[in-house]
Amino acid sequence: VQLQASGGGLEQAGGSLRLSCVASGNIYTMNDMGWYRQAPGKQRELVADIRSDGSIDYVDFVKGRFTTSRDNAKKMVSLQMESLKPEDTAMYYCNANGWEATGRNFDSWGQGTQVTVSS
């Protein structure tokens, strides 16, 4: 299963960006889909996770600013980022796990998309 992320870029503080990630492959069912980020010199951290039942977890530092959603038919997860801050600057990765039609489980990562927020 491959994930392709898009939508990053350069934005000013207070601005907005929308990230999207599409999954492809022999997918039978998708469980969790989520977004992580990694800033230079820091560990990768969870930003938001959306489960197959639609329930969502956000990390505290994005609550009220970021919104994630998924479209199961399109095998897509999105991250709408509002009120961006310079500390949101990072490489953003999408992640998805589930089961392939072969019966094998998968846990896949997208290639990352850079988000840079200028002050």
PDB file of all heavy atoms in Angstrom, residues 8-26:
ATOM      1  N   GLY A   8       1.709  20.707   0.899  1.00  0.00           N
ATOM      2  CA  GLY A   8       2.563  21.534   1.743  1.00  0.00           C
ATOM      3  C   GLY A   8       3.014  22.778   1.013  1.00  0.00           C
ATOM      4  O   GLY A   8       2.683  23.009  -0.148  1.00  0.00           O
ATOM      5  N   GLY A   9       3.779  23.624   1.706  1.00  0.00           N
ATOM      6  CA  GLY A   9       4.285  24.824   1.086  1.00  0.00           C
ATOM      7  C   GLY A   9       4.717  25.838   2.118  1.00  0.00           C
ATOM      8  O   GLY A   9       4.865  25.522   3.308  1.00  0.00           O
ATOM      9  N   LEU A  10       4.912  27.055   1.633  1.00  0.00           N
ATOM     10  CA  LEU A  10       5.334  28.166   2.488  1.00  0.00           C
ATOM     11  C   LEU A  10       4.138  29.068   2.756  1.00  0.00           C
ATOM     12  O   LEU A  10       3.418  29.444   1.821  1.00  0.00           O
ATOM     13  CB  LEU A  10       6.446  28.945   1.786  1.00  0.00           C
ATOM     14  CG  LEU A  10       6.924  30.222   2.472  1.00  0.00           C
ATOM     15  CD1 LEU A  10       7.557  29.907   3.815  1.00  0.00           C
ATOM     16  CD2 LEU A  10       7.913  30.954   1.564  1.00  0.00           C
ATOM     17  N   GLU A  11       3.914  29.363   4.009  1.00  0.00           N
ATOM     18  CA  GLU A  11       2.788  30.206   4.395  1.00  0.00           C
ATOM     19  C   GLU A  11       3.231  31.140   5.511  1.00  0.00           C
ATOM     20  O   GLU A  11       4.120  30.799   6.299  1.00  0.00           O
ATOM     21  CB  GLU A  11       1.614  29.326   4.838  1.00  0.00           C
ATOM     22  CG  GLU A  11       0.334  30.073   5.184  1.00  0.00           C
ATOM     23  CD  GLU A  11      -0.181  30.891   4.024  1.00  0.00           C
ATOM     24  OE1 GLU A  11      -0.727  30.315   3.067  1.00  0.00           O
ATOM     25  OE2 GLU A  11      -0.018  32.121   4.078  1.00  0.00           O
ATOM     26  N   GLN A  12       2.584  32.288   5.589  1.00  0.00           N
ATOM     27  CA  GLN A  12       2.866  33.229   6.673  1.00  0.00           C
ATOM     28  C   GLN A  12       2.129  32.811   7.935  1.00  0.00           C
ATOM     29  O   GLN A  12       1.100  32.124   7.877  1.00  0.00           O
ATOM     30  CB  GLN A  12       2.441  34.633   6.263  1.00  0.00           C
ATOM     31  CG  GLN A  12       3.301  35.242   5.171  1.00  0.00           C
ATOM     32  CD  GLN A  12       2.935  36.683   4.893  1.00  0.00           C
ATOM     33  OE1 GLN A  12       1.807  37.113   5.131  1.00  0.00           O
ATOM     34  NE2 GLN A  12       3.887  37.447   4.395  1.00  0.00           N
ATOM     35  N   ALA A  13       2.642  33.223   9.071  1.00  0.00           N
ATOM     36  CA  ALA A  13       1.963  32.979  10.338  1.00  0.00           C
ATOM     37  C   ALA A  13       0.542  33.528  10.272  1.00  0.00           C
ATOM     38  O   ALA A  13       0.314  34.628   9.755  1.00  0.00           O
ATOM     39  CB  ALA A  13       2.731  33.623  11.483  1.00  0.00           C
ATOM     40  N   GLY A  14      -0.397  32.738  10.771  1.00  0.00           N
ATOM     41  CA  GLY A  14      -1.796  33.116  10.716  1.00  0.00           C
ATOM     42  C   GLY A  14      -2.516  32.609   9.489  1.00  0.00           C
ATOM     43  O   GLY A  14      -3.752  32.676   9.419  1.00  0.00           O
ATOM     44  N   GLY A  15      -1.764  32.089   8.531  1.00  0.00           N
ATOM     45  CA  GLY A  15      -2.349  31.594   7.297  1.00  0.00           C
ATOM     46  C   GLY A  15      -2.847  30.176   7.413  1.00  0.00           C
ATOM     47  O   GLY A  15      -2.865  29.579   8.497  1.00  0.00           O
ATOM     48  N   SER A  16      -3.251  29.621   6.254  1.00  0.00           N
ATOM     49  CA  SER A  16      -3.835  28.280   6.213  1.00  0.00           C
ATOM     50  C   SER A  16      -3.194  27.444   5.121  1.00  0.00           C
ATOM     51  O   SER A  16      -2.745  27.985   4.096  1.00  0.00           O
ATOM     52  CB  SER A  16      -5.346  28.373   5.929  1.00  0.00           C
ATOM     53  OG  SER A  16      -6.002  29.149   6.892  1.00  0.00           O
ATOM     54  N   LEU A  17      -3.166  26.170   5.339  1.00  0.00           N
ATOM     55  CA  LEU A  17      -2.749  25.203   4.335  1.00  0.00           C
ATOM     56  C   LEU A  17      -3.601  23.953   4.493  1.00  0.00           C
ATOM     57  O   LEU A  17      -4.084  23.661   5.592  1.00  0.00           O
ATOM     58  CB  LEU A  17      -1.274  24.822   4.502  1.00  0.00           C
ATOM     59  CG  LEU A  17      -0.208  25.807   4.022  1.00  0.00           C
ATOM     60  CD1 LEU A  17       1.178  25.335   4.453  1.00  0.00           C
ATOM     61  CD2 LEU A  17      -0.259  25.984   2.516  1.00  0.00           C
ATOM     62  N   ARG A  18      -3.750  23.243   3.402  1.00  0.00           N
ATOM     63  CA  ARG A  18      -4.491  21.980   3.434  1.00  0.00           C
ATOM     64  C   ARG A  18      -3.619  20.887   2.851  1.00  0.00           C
ATOM     65  O   ARG A  18      -3.119  21.009   1.733  1.00  0.00           O
ATOM     66  CB  ARG A  18      -5.797  22.083   2.640  1.00  0.00           C
ATOM     67  CG  ARG A  18      -6.660  20.833   2.723  1.00  0.00           C
ATOM     68  CD  ARG A  18      -7.977  21.034   1.990  1.00  0.00           C
ATOM     69  NE  ARG A  18      -8.841  19.878   2.051  1.00  0.00           N
ATOM     70  CZ  ARG A  18      -9.669  19.618   3.061  1.00  0.00           C
ATOM     71  NH1 ARG A  18      -9.743  20.449   4.078  1.00  0.00           N
ATOM     72  NH2 ARG A  18     -10.421  18.529   3.040  1.00  0.00           N
ATOM     73  N   LEU A  19      -3.445  19.831   3.625  1.00  0.00           N
ATOM     74  CA  LEU A  19      -2.698  18.668   3.180  1.00  0.00           C
ATOM     75  C   LEU A  19      -3.667  17.555   2.813  1.00  0.00           C
ATOM     76  O   LEU A  19      -4.713  17.406   3.453  1.00  0.00           O
ATOM     77  CB  LEU A  19      -1.749  18.181   4.271  1.00  0.00           C
ATOM     78  CG  LEU A  19      -0.792  19.206   4.881  1.00  0.00           C
ATOM     79  CD1 LEU A  19       0.103  18.519   5.915  1.00  0.00           C
ATOM     80  CD2 LEU A  19       0.020  19.902   3.831  1.00  0.00           C
ATOM     81  N   SER A  20      -3.301  16.789   1.809  1.00  0.00           N
ATOM     82  CA  SER A  20      -4.094  15.635   1.411  1.00  0.00           C
ATOM     83  C   SER A  20      -3.180  14.437   1.237  1.00  0.00           C
ATOM     84  O   SER A  20      -1.990  14.586   0.921  1.00  0.00           O
ATOM     85  CB  SER A  20      -4.837  15.904   0.104  1.00  0.00           C
ATOM     86  OG  SER A  20      -5.780  16.934   0.258  1.00  0.00           O
ATOM     87  N   CYS A  21      -3.747  13.266   1.423  1.00  0.00           N
ATOM     88  CA  CYS A  21      -2.976  12.033   1.284  1.00  0.00           C
ATOM     89  C   CYS A  21      -3.900  10.964   0.721  1.00  0.00           C
ATOM     90  O   CYS A  21      -4.989  10.736   1.261  1.00  0.00           O
ATOM     91  CB  CYS A  21      -2.429  11.617   2.638  1.00  0.00           C
ATOM     92  SG  CYS A  21      -1.513  10.070   2.649  1.00  0.00           S
ATOM     93  N   VAL A  22      -3.467  10.343  -0.361  1.00  0.00           N
ATOM     94  CA  VAL A  22      -4.269   9.313  -1.025  1.00  0.00           C
ATOM     95  C   VAL A  22      -3.548   7.980  -0.942  1.00  0.00           C
ATOM     96  O   VAL A  22      -2.342   7.900  -1.221  1.00  0.00           O
ATOM     97  CB  VAL A  22      -4.527   9.680  -2.500  1.00  0.00           C
ATOM     98  CG1 VAL A  22      -5.326   8.587  -3.180  1.00  0.00           C
ATOM     99  CG2 VAL A  22      -5.257  11.002  -2.593  1.00  0.00           C
ATOM    100  N   ALA A  23      -4.290   6.964  -0.593  1.00  0.00           N
ATOM    101  CA  ALA A  23      -3.738   5.610  -0.513  1.00  0.00           C
ATOM    102  C   ALA A  23      -4.075   4.833  -1.778  1.00  0.00           C
ATOM    103  O   ALA A  23      -5.151   5.008  -2.360  1.00  0.00           O
ATOM    104  CB  ALA A  23      -4.291   4.885   0.703  1.00  0.00           C
ATOM    105  N   SER A  24      -3.147   3.993  -2.181  1.00  0.00           N
ATOM    106  CA  SER A  24      -3.386   3.139  -3.339  1.00  0.00           C
ATOM    107  C   SER A  24      -2.827   1.757  -3.065  1.00  0.00           C
ATOM    108  O   SER A  24      -1.926   1.586  -2.250  1.00  0.00           O
ATOM    109  CB  SER A  24      -2.752   3.741  -4.595  1.00  0.00           C
ATOM    110  OG  SER A  24      -1.352   3.853  -4.446  1.00  0.00           O
ATOM    111  N   GLY A  25      -3.375   0.790  -3.769  1.00  0.00           N
ATOM    112  CA  GLY A  25      -2.933  -0.584  -3.572  1.00  0.00           C
ATOM    113  C   GLY A  25      -4.125  -1.494  -3.354  1.00  0.00           C
ATOM    114  O   GLY A  25      -5.275  -1.095  -3.452  1.00  0.00           O
ATOM    115  N   ASN A  26      -3.830  -2.737  -3.011  1.00  0.00           N
ATOM    116  CA  ASN A  26      -4.856  -3.752  -2.859  1.00  0.00           C
ATOM    117  C   ASN A  26      -5.410  -3.722  -1.435  1.00  0.00           C
ATOM    118  O   ASN A  26      -5.204  -4.636  -0.652  1.00  0.00           O
ATOM    119  CB  ASN A  26      -4.251  -5.124  -3.188  1.00  0.00           C
ATOM    120  CG  ASN A  26      -5.304  -6.157  -3.447  1.00  0.00           C
ATOM    121  OD1 ASN A  26      -6.483  -5.852  -3.587  1.00  0.00           O
ATOM    122  ND2 ASN A  26      -4.880  -7.416  -3.498  1.00  0.00           N
TER     123      ASN A  26
END
